[in-house]
Amino acid sequence: MVSLREQTSVKVTPGSHHLHLWLLVIWTVLGLVLRFANLAGKTPWTDEFATIVFSLGNRFATVPLDQVVTAETLLQPLYPRPGANLGDVLSALFMESNHPPIYFLLSHFWLKLFSNPTEITSLWATRSLAAFLGTVSIPATFGLAWLAFRSRVVAQIAAALMATSPFAIYLAQEARHYTLPILWIIGSLGCLMIAARAVRDRLLLPIWVCWVWIGINALGIATHYFFAFTLFAEAIVIACLGLIQSWREDGRWHPSTHWRRIWIVAGGTLISCLVWFPVLQNIQEGELTRWIYQGDRNGLAWVEPIFQAIAGWISMLYLLPIQSSSEFLSLISGIGLALLTLWTLPKLISGLQVQALHRDTRLAISVLGCFIVSAIILFFSVTYFFEADLTGAFRYNFVYFPAVIVLIGAALASGWDVAKQIAQSPATHVPLPLLRLLRVCSRKTIVLLGLLSLLGGLTVVTNLSYQKVHRPDIVAQAIQADFQANSPIDTLVAIPYRSHGQISRLMGIAWNLRSAPPEIDQSNLQFFLAQDTQRNSRSAIENLSAVIRASAKPLHLWLLNFHEVEQNLLDKMLQKNRCTLEEKFPSVDGFRYRLYRCRR
């Protein structure tokens, strides 16, 4: 029999510091490779085109409406302008978008490093900023985990999981403003942990932490408005800490002097948020956010957000090729993910229970756990009470994602050194062979879990999961096949216009037809944006009819997303113009498309 306290005494040597440093370098390099692998291999989608256009200081409004345009005219906003400046970026955003400017301003400078006025902006260059910031989040996660748990083992596991997380890789390969706010969230959570310890120990929060915290929060809300969910969740955590500490048996509130600086942070953060209130009142939302509103729910629609949320949570750690072209493989992958989750959950729960045995780690678990639960409750509240389904877009989970990774790292770390954990429990003796067996089994389980997470990250890189939200490449392939089979017959691709989202959809098709082999002669290929300012208006149909009448015949007409207009009027117009339905293709993400043949 061996005393566990004798077995688990650890002496930190300079060599161990170097080991941890090299391990962190390995995780960072691994994360860098995963984020930059096949970075430009996936087709750009609607929101990514918006990032390119606004970062360049260009406008979608320069694309003509109700006019037949060529692919070159349609793609013109993707070309850099030598004279564009930060003022142009701000003007374009406030006129045509509903997003704050920090990421786009940073992207403006980033793209200047790669820009060539004679060429369309590089997709790799546009996505590389998010990939770089996603890589920086790996050492940042290490820092947050160490600050929360004061354990290098927890920090190493959390950093490794951030490097391989499928969700993290997905966000890093999007030319969007998600990886930058993740860095602000990590910094804000670090300040929250410092504040939680100060509140617990009834100490004044250092004034420099107050100003850093306010600054991070201001930058966060200026990067993505959904950072407000992070702030609300942190406020709930602080309120819970205050209730636990200050609520007495007589039911009276007893504020303490150490709360004054917490109030300073709250006031400064509130001011930094209110600055954007006039902008939020003036931005043109409408069609840009209509997709998120679900309207009245019936039957299974009430539980759909719950299953969507669970699927998003699983992808933070695991993912399999659920979007494979093979339906059988997709089915097996879905079953495999369910089994992996059931296998992992008990291990994470028991690991957190072990960590909660100790005072410092219990505070970290309480703070981060309360933060995550609060953010999730806020998401479901908006989803069910305001009918805006935030769970359907997994990318919005970035507001609490770093906290999830750190908590998972803490749960797994409790099993890395079983001897140490048992030594800190009431038990005093365990047979040495059993101790060694437990240690080996626990460490192998953690390594296996890490490898499974890496496998999930590889499915994202190879486009077997987390495919782009819209798939203009599939539509472009159908157009390309028809164009090659019937060239040189004129081809017109039309879509009803309501916001720059429709311009971006056409850009995606033009981009793919321009870059995907085999090359085609685009002299007979044209595009048309039929302005439809009111949902039930006839303007889009009338404008399209005028173009068809003026076009040479025969004409191959591709209608994209015309299901949103009045179908009876559309059918009558097409019949009048001698346009017959040739083929109705299966819907793909972002597109419903049909091919018509228009004759003389």
Side-chain angles (χ1 to χ4, degrees):
M1 305 290 282
V2 181
S3 171
L4 293 181
R5 298 190 184 276
E6 295 175 0
Q7 287 289 327
T8 57
S9 60
V10 179
K11 183 178 181 180
V12 179
T13 64
S16 66
H17 289 285
H18 291 298
L19 173 62
H20 283 287
L21 177 61
W22 281 111
L23 281 175
L24 181 58
V25 170
I26 290 172
W27 309 139
T28 304
V29 171
L30 175 62
L32 177 73
V33 171
L34 289 172
R35 283 155 178 76
F36 279 85
N38 196 31
L39 187 59
K42 303 175 185 179
T43 183
W45 69 289
T46 303
D47 284 8
E48 291 185 302
F49 282 115
T51 299
I52 297 174
V53 173
F54 295 140
S55 297
L56 295 174
N58 293 337
R59 300 273 301 278
F60 284 99
T62 59
V63 177
L65 304 179
D66 297 329
Q67 297 180 31
V68 173
V69 298
T70 64
E72 190 65 23
T73 301
L74 182 62
L75 297 175
Q76 193 60 41
L78 304 179
Y79 285 86
R81 288 189 299 116
N85 53 41
L86 296 181
D88 295 320
V89 177
L90 293 173
S91 176
L93 278 171
F94 294 151
M95 290 295 294
E96 296 187 353
S97 182
N98 56 358
H99 293 297
I102 291 294
Y103 181 83
F104 298 93
L105 295 175
L106 183 61
S107 180
H108 177 78
F109 289 111
W110 183 269
L111 291 179
K112 281 185 176 294
L113 301 175
F114 308 94
S115 64
N116 184 341
T118 63
E119 298 178 358
I120 287 181
T121 300
S122 163
L123 181 59
W124 184 93
T126 308
R127 288 176 175 166
S128 62
L129 174 59
F132 171 75
L133 295 172
T135 304
V136 175
S137 69
I138 298 170
T141 300
F142 178 95
L144 173 61
W146 183 86
L147 183 63
F149 290 92
R150 293 292 195 268
S151 166
R152 289 189 178 90
V153 175
V154 173
Q156 290 289 356
I157 295 177
L161 292 177
M162 179 62 81
T164 60
S165 166
F167 181 69
I169 295 170
Y170 154 65
L171 292 183
Q173 293 197 327
E174 286 272 294
R176 295 298 286 166
H177 47 170
Y178 300 120
T179 52
L180 180 57
I182 281 177
L183 291 176
W184 303 139
I185 291 166
I186 290 173
S188 188
L189 288 176
C191 294
L192 177 64
M193 283 306 312
I194 296 174
R197 288 198 176 94
V199 168
R200 181 195 62 186
D201 299 332
R202 298 181 180 273
L203 300 174
L204 281 177
L205 185 65
I207 192 63
W208 68 268
V209 175
C210 296
W211 295 120
V212 169
W213 200 356
I214 293 172
I216 290 174
N217 292 343
L219 290 170
I221 201 68
T223 303
H224 201 296
Y225 291 133
F226 273 30
F227 189 83
F229 284 99
T230 298
L231 299 179
F232 276 117
E234 288 185 350
I236 293 173
V237 172
I238 292 294
C240 290
L241 290 173
L243 288 173
I244 292 172
Q245 182 184 78
S246 301
W247 196 260
R248 303 291 178 85
E249 291 184 0
D250 58 4
R252 297 171 59 187
W253 182 265
H254 297 274
S256 303
T257 56
H258 62 275
W259 281 92
R260 292 174 183 172
R261 291 185 178 176
I262 301 293
W263 285 111
I264 291 175
V265 174
T269 298
L270 180 61
I271 293 172
S272 70
C273 293
L274 292 178
V275 167
W276 296 101
F277 186 72
V279 178
L280 287 169
Q281 285 185 313
N282 294 326
I283 59 176
Q284 297 181 359
E285 291 185 282
E287 295 297 331
L288 293 176
T289 56
R290 186 163 60 92
W291 65 271
I292 205 170
Y293 292 98
Q294 301 299 311
D296 295 334
R297 289 187 172 88
N298 295 304
L300 292 178
W302 282 101
V303 297
E304 185 179 5
I306 297 175
F307 290 106
Q308 290 176 160
I310 293 173
W313 301 336
I314 293 174
S315 70
M316 293 182 182
L317 186 60
Y318 295 131
L319 205 53
L320 293 173
I322 56 175
Q323 291 182 302
S324 168
S325 57
S326 169
E327 294 184 3
F328 177 75
L329 181 56
S330 297
L331 176 62
I332 294 299
S333 298
I335 296 173
L337 283 175
L339 294 177
L340 279 175
T341 303
L342 294 176
W343 172 73
T344 306
L345 272 178
K347 301 180 185 303
L348 297 182
I349 293 172
S350 61
L352 290 177
Q353 289 175 338
V354 172
Q355 293 282 18
L357 294 174
H358 316 296
R359 182 172 182 262
D360 285 335
T361 54
R362 181 166 58 248
L363 176 66
I365 291 172
S366 300
V367 169
L368 294 179
C370 181
F371 170 80
I372 294 170
V373 171
S374 300
I376 291 173
I377 291 175
L378 290 171
F379 266 55
F380 280 119
S381 298
V382 172
T383 297
Y384 282 105
F385 294 112
F386 296 94
E387 298 181 346
D389 190 2
L390 302 183
T391 63
F394 293 170
R395 56 189 181 275
Y396 293 152
N397 292 334
F398 77 88
V399 300
Y400 55 90
F401 169 60
V404 173
I405 290 295
V406 172
L407 267 191
I408 293 176
L412 296 177
S414 66
W416 185 257
D417 198 336
V418 178
K420 181 178 180 180
Q421 298 300 333
I422 297 178
Q424 295 174 342
S425 68
T428 56
H429 293 85
V430 168
L432 184 57
L434 178 58
L435 174 63
R436 289 174 176 170
L437 177 62
L438 290 173
R439 177 183 295 170
V440 171
C441 291
S442 297
R443 293 188 175 186
K444 285 185 176 180
T445 299
I446 295 170
V447 172
L448 175 61
L449 190 147
L451 291 175
L452 291 171
S453 180
L454 175 60
L455 175 63
L458 291 174
T459 66
V460 177
V461 170
T462 55
N463 209 27
L464 293 174
S465 57
Y466 265 133
Q467 294 176 354
K468 296 302 179 182
V469 176
H470 298 156
R471 296 299 304 274
D473 54 319
I474 295 177
V475 182
Q477 289 171 9
I479 295 174
Q480 186 178 48
D482 176 73
F483 196 84
Q484 288 179 317
N486 298 282
S487 182
I489 295 177
D490 288 344
T491 298
L492 179 66
V493 184
I495 192 171
Y497 170 86
R498 288 173 180 167
S499 72
H500 67 70
Q502 284 74 45
I503 300 179
S504 296
R505 281 171 170 78
L506 280 191
M507 281 181 171
I509 294 172
W511 177 295
N512 280 276
L513 290 174
R514 176 191 179 108
S515 58
E519 294 184 5
I520 61 174
D521 180 8
Q522 299 194 24
S523 59
N524 300 103
L525 176 64
Q526 295 178 312
F527 299 86
F528 181 71
L529 287 148
Q531 190 169 10
D532 186 19
T533 55
Q534 299 178 8
R535 295 189 180 181
N536 296 321
S537 72
R538 303 184 179 187
S539 58
I541 298 174
E542 293 172 352
N543 294 334
L544 178 61
S545 179
V547 169
I548 295 174
R549 288 196 302 271
S551 300
K553 306 295 189 303
L555 174 70
H556 290 191
L557 176 65
W558 291 84
L559 296 186
L560 311 181
N561 297 344
F562 267 83
H563 62 281
E564 298 178 350
V565 303
E566 296 182 46
Q567 293 302 297
N568 290 335
L569 291 176
L570 178 63
D571 292 339
K572 289 179 181 179
M573 182 275 292
L574 292 171
Q575 185 178 8
K576 183 178 179 180
N577 286 282
R578 298 173 61 88
C579 297
T580 58
L581 179 63
E582 179 73 15
E583 188 172 358
K584 185 176 181 180
F585 294 85
S587 300
V588 297
D589 293 341
F591 297 93
R592 294 186 188 180
Y593 56 112
R594 292 172 285 180
L595 171 61
Y596 290 83
R597 312 286 191 189
C598 301
R599 296 173 175 82
R600 293 184 181 88

